[in-house]
Amino acid sequence: MSVFVNIPTVLRAYTGGQRTVPAAGACIAEVLTDLDVHHPGLRERLVTSDGKLRRFVNIYINDKDVRFEQSIDSRLTDGDVVSIIPAVAGGAA
Amino acid sequence: MRNAIDTSRRDAGQPWLEAGGEAFRSRLLVGIEQYESASLVGQVLDASGSDVFITTMDPSNQRSSLLLSDVVEELPARDFRWIGTTSFARSAADALTTARMLRDSHGINVMKLDVRSAGNWPDNAATIQVAETLCAEGMDVLPFILPSVADARTLESLGCAALRVMAAPVGSGRGIPQPWLLREVIDQTALPVVVEGGLGTARHATLAMELGAAAVLVNTALVQAADPVLLAESMKYAVRAGLLANWSRPMGGDPALDE
């Protein structure tokens, strides 16, 4: 499957500043592995050493949070948009 | 000779806010945007004594902030009350989306609600609109507004948990140029009022508390100080000083407090 992945601003150093990158894989886990081939270091910011989604990192397939599906084993179809939207430090005043 | 009165215990056990099933005791809230080092965030929170931890998400994918997964590893070893914020939102729809994502994905039910205009001012009308929806959905909402008694009363009637009222433009460091506007809101609503926006140094935090604020929120002031940790500690004492001064019912004569 060929999908598009939205990269959060805080992790765009890994994609040379690109906001959206293409990736291939039948599920999220495969897409993350493919992403790491082209953008080394990105995967380990998103998953733990035992291959689970890191706490506070959310991945959405189109508008669905994969935590409420099959997490990183969630299946993909061609043209899906995968969005990585982590929880980040907040404030502003 | 009299013994000194131990003021440190005067308000022990008296939270200024109960929301999301938790008691909020720290009257200094520290925003943690704009930092480049998770370690520094941990040191600043430690020095500030704050027990509130603020997180957000950015569904529009345009803003940058430290990953929470990095920051939590640096948090001081004490209990924090987690609250969400919609401070990246520039429309009512964005704010609603962010608040619901924080609730659905992270179980956060206390929301520091910000809906800013393009000029980074609070948009009172849009904020009221979102607050109404979130309150109806059962969230404890802390909306950020420009000083307005009418809007404060509207938000109170919607069931908001507390109000956050702007002292001066966010990030300006100008302090409290029009203290009477804040005092009017503080005096004429029953909700706890957090003063934020433009507080740049300790004196500003003290004045906010002397005016009767329940708490203050700072972010840019600490980030931009040459020594953020030192100013965080200073703010902790400044807030305490202002609170005790307010409770003491001082003599009067200070135009900032009386006019």
Side-chain angles (χ1 to χ4, degrees), chain B residues 26-54:
Chain B
S26 167
R27 293 171 183 269
L28 174 59
L29 315 183
V30 176
I32 52 174
E33 271 182 33
Q34 308 170 48
Y35 286 92
E36 293 180 359
S37 156
S39 165
L40 182 55
V41 169
Q43 292 173 56
V44 164
L45 285 173
D46 198 17
S48 74
S50 182
D51 62 1
V52 176
F53 184 77
I54 307 172

Side-chain angles (χ1 to χ4, degrees), chain A:
Chain A
M1 304 300 159
S2 183
V3 299
F4 297 97
V5 184
N6 288 327
I7 307 295
T9 316
V10 67
L11 295 177
R12 281 186 209 155
Y14 293 97
T15 61
Q18 290 183 87
R19 181 181 171 139
T20 302
V21 295
C27 65
I28 293 291
E30 290 183 16
V31 161
L32 295 179
T33 301
D34 186 55
L35 275 180
D36 210 56
V37 171
H38 300 97
H39 312 288
L42 182 55
R43 183 178 179 278
E44 71 178 49
R45 303 303 303 277
L46 305 172
V47 294
T48 60
S49 53
D50 57 355
K52 293 197 174 122
L53 202 54
R54 272 189 191 280
R55 195 178 167 207
F56 309 122
V57 171
N58 293 78
I59 296 181
Y60 296 79
I61 301 173
N62 304 315
D63 286 328
K64 285 191 173 169
D65 187 339
V66 302
R67 276 188 207 283
F68 302 115
E69 307 291 324
Q70 284 77 48
S71 191
I72 63 169
D73 297 322
S74 299
R75 310 294 293 178
L76 293 160
T77 56
D78 250 341
D80 273 343
V81 174
V82 174
S83 298
I84 302 165
I85 308 181
V88 295

Side-chain angles (χ1 to χ4, degrees), chain B residues 87-100:
Chain B
S87 58
F88 290 158
R90 290 293 176 273
S91 70
D94 276 0
L96 208 49
T97 301
T98 305
R100 286 170 172 163

Side-chain angles (χ1 to χ4, degrees), chain B residues 160-248:
Chain B
C160 288
L163 296 174
R164 297 162 36 241
V165 181
M166 193 183 89
V170 169
S172 70
R174 291 187 57 204
I176 306 179
Q178 298 172 297
W180 58 90
L181 290 179
L182 297 179
R183 203 179 57 232
E184 195 178 36
V185 175
I186 290 167
D187 289 348
Q188 298 198 34
T189 57
L191 291 178
V193 172
V194 180
V195 170
E196 75 176 80
L199 305 181
T201 188
R203 178 165 47 86
H204 303 155
T206 299
L207 176 56
M209 298 304 293
E210 286 176 320
L211 289 166
V216 303
L217 191 150
V218 294
N219 190 149
T220 308
L222 303 186
V223 175
Q224 293 193 0
D227 190 331
V229 177
L230 212 51
L231 189 56
E233 186 171 357
S234 165
M235 288 282 191
K236 174 173 71 176
Y237 298 126
V239 166
R240 184 75 187 159
L243 177 70
L244 295 181
N246 176 267
W247 283 357
S248 77

